[in-house]
Amino acid sequence: MLDFLSLSPWLATLLGASLAAMAGAMAHRIAALLALRATRGLPVLQTVVQACVPAMRVLLPLFATQLVWVAAADTLPHLGTVRHLTGLALIAVTAWALIAAIGGVADGLIARYPANVEDNLTARRVATQARVLSRTAMTGVVMAAVSLMLMTFPGARQVGASLLASAGVVGIVAGIAARPVFSNIIAGLQIALAQPIRIDDVLIVQGEWGRVEEITGTYVVLAIWDERRLIIPLQWFIENPFQNWTRTSSQILGTVFLFADYRLPLDPLRAELDRILKTAPEWDRRVSVLQLTDVTERTIQIRVLVSARSSGLAFDLRCRVREALVTFIQREYPDCLPQVRGPQEAARADASLAPLP
């Protein structure tokens, strides 16, 4: 057996690499079990460990194999190529593990603050920061890994040196080409830190009403109420004004405008509004106001102001109040609906409104 191994120098090295890979796999299994048990009471760290398990399952055996290649004799044919390929794989898998760890931290933080509660402002803030910052960090890891892999090729280093020799023109061209990318990356960091928008915020952008569905490293996905999706570059939110209805709270006021004749009494209308709101599940019992806000030569304008816990509930509440008040006027005061009078009708109306002698 020893004579056979001496006749085939690669066979002994491959046997050692196989044993090293098996040892790395066993070490990974033991380390994973211990890490999961040690982080049982730490949800964020346990999420990180769970996210890193698949990458570490490949990384540890690959690292052990690379140690065997490094310890092998340099006289083995093609050993340099094997070392190079294994090194490239190590860089790629290490980047995979780092990306998994970053994603695990983000997922763990988001899981600590569930968004399925009524007041989810903190949860949306944490989710926005975690998503944007983690994706920015992942982009940096990928760029660093690609740079390290390119630096292992002698030809790539020579190309880099030649590019540096003509860095004037190439730098200007690259800067112009990369400006949108870096602008969005910087805008993403600004949004993550200053947070003008967050996940699940209600925005009005270019006349469109929608919720922030996703914030990536370069754009924001706004889910429009009719199930369309509006894709907006991150830089746009830094350079343009927009409405954020949930910046500090999801509570919001809703308005309903009604037009009626001058003869409509307002007190019965206020009593009807109170009755409607007491049975409306969308009302949060904060604001209930009915006011005469404007008059024209033909009608009066009545504004109803109500409050709700969110913009969606406010819209439903406005519809409920509008329908109920219009029905009430139609049923109780049909002659007070807006109307255009002819000369004879106007004279009769004036006579009915004249004071008694």
Side-chain angles (χ1 to χ4, degrees), residues 203 205 208 210-212 220-224 228-230 232:
L203 306 182
V205 176
E208 296 284 1
R211 292 184 177 273
V212 178
V220 174
V221 179
L222 194 67
I224 309 301
R228 290 177 294 148
R229 297 297 185 272
L230 186 62
I232 311 163

Side-chain angles (χ1 to χ4, degrees), residues 71-316:
D74 294 336
T75 57
L76 288 176
H78 308 294
L79 181 61
T81 302
V82 174
R83 289 174 176 172
H84 188 201
L85 293 176
T86 308
L88 292 176
L90 268 175
I91 295 173
V93 177
T94 302
W96 176 20
L98 289 175
I99 291 173
I102 294 170
V105 172
D107 293 338
L109 290 174
I110 293 173
R112 287 189 60 187
Y113 300 92
N116 56 349
V117 295
E118 183 173 335
D119 188 6
N120 60 358
L121 182 62
T122 301
R124 292 188 288 112
R125 176 178 58 81
V126 172
T128 301
Q129 288 183 331
R131 291 299 184 199
V132 175
L133 292 177
S134 64
R135 285 170 180 169
T136 303
M138 289 177 185
T139 302
V141 170
V142 172
M143 295 176 64
V146 172
S147 300
L148 290 174
M149 294 173 72
L150 289 176
M151 289 175 63
T152 62
F153 293 92
R157 287 198 295 266
Q158 293 176 2
V159 171
S162 62
L163 287 176
L164 288 176
S166 58
V169 177
V170 175
I172 293 174
V173 174
I176 295 174
R179 180 183 175 276
V181 176
F182 289 110
S183 295
N184 280 317
I185 292 176
I186 295 173
L189 292 175
Q190 289 178 294
I191 287 174
L193 297 176
Q195 292 204 335
I197 60 173
R198 292 176 293 262
I199 299 293
D200 205 38
D201 266 349
V202 176
L203 306 182
I204 304 294
V205 176
Q206 296 182 344
E208 296 284 1
W209 182 98
R211 292 184 177 273
V212 178
E213 184 177 56
E214 184 181 4
I215 301 177
T216 70
T218 55
Y219 60 86
V220 174
V221 179
L222 194 67
I224 309 301
W225 64 274
D226 57 0
E227 299 186 358
R228 290 177 294 148
R229 297 297 185 272
L230 186 62
I231 310 300
I232 311 163
L234 285 175
Q235 186 65 22
W236 189 92
F237 289 97
I238 304 300
E239 298 177 347
N240 297 277
F242 59 92
Q243 296 183 38
N244 188 338
W245 287 10
T246 53
R247 180 68 179 87
T248 57
S249 173
S250 60
Q251 295 176 339
I252 195 171
L253 299 180
T255 56
V256 174
F257 288 97
L258 300 174
F259 294 89
D261 192 76
Y262 274 69
R263 293 177 294 178
L264 177 68
L266 297 184
D267 288 339
L269 202 61
R270 289 193 178 96
E272 179 66 12
L273 175 64
D274 292 338
R275 188 193 66 79
I276 295 167
L277 292 179
K278 288 179 181 178
T279 60
E282 301 91 351
W283 187 46
D284 63 0
R285 302 183 179 276
R286 289 190 302 117
V287 178
S288 171
V289 177
L290 188 147
Q291 295 174 317
L292 180 63
T293 56
D294 196 9
V295 294
T296 68
E297 67 276 8
R298 293 179 179 176
T299 61
I300 59 174
Q301 183 188 68
I302 302 169
R303 187 188 70 173
V304 178
L305 196 62
V306 292
S307 60
R309 294 184 298 274
S310 66
S311 58
L313 293 176
F315 180 82
D316 294 338

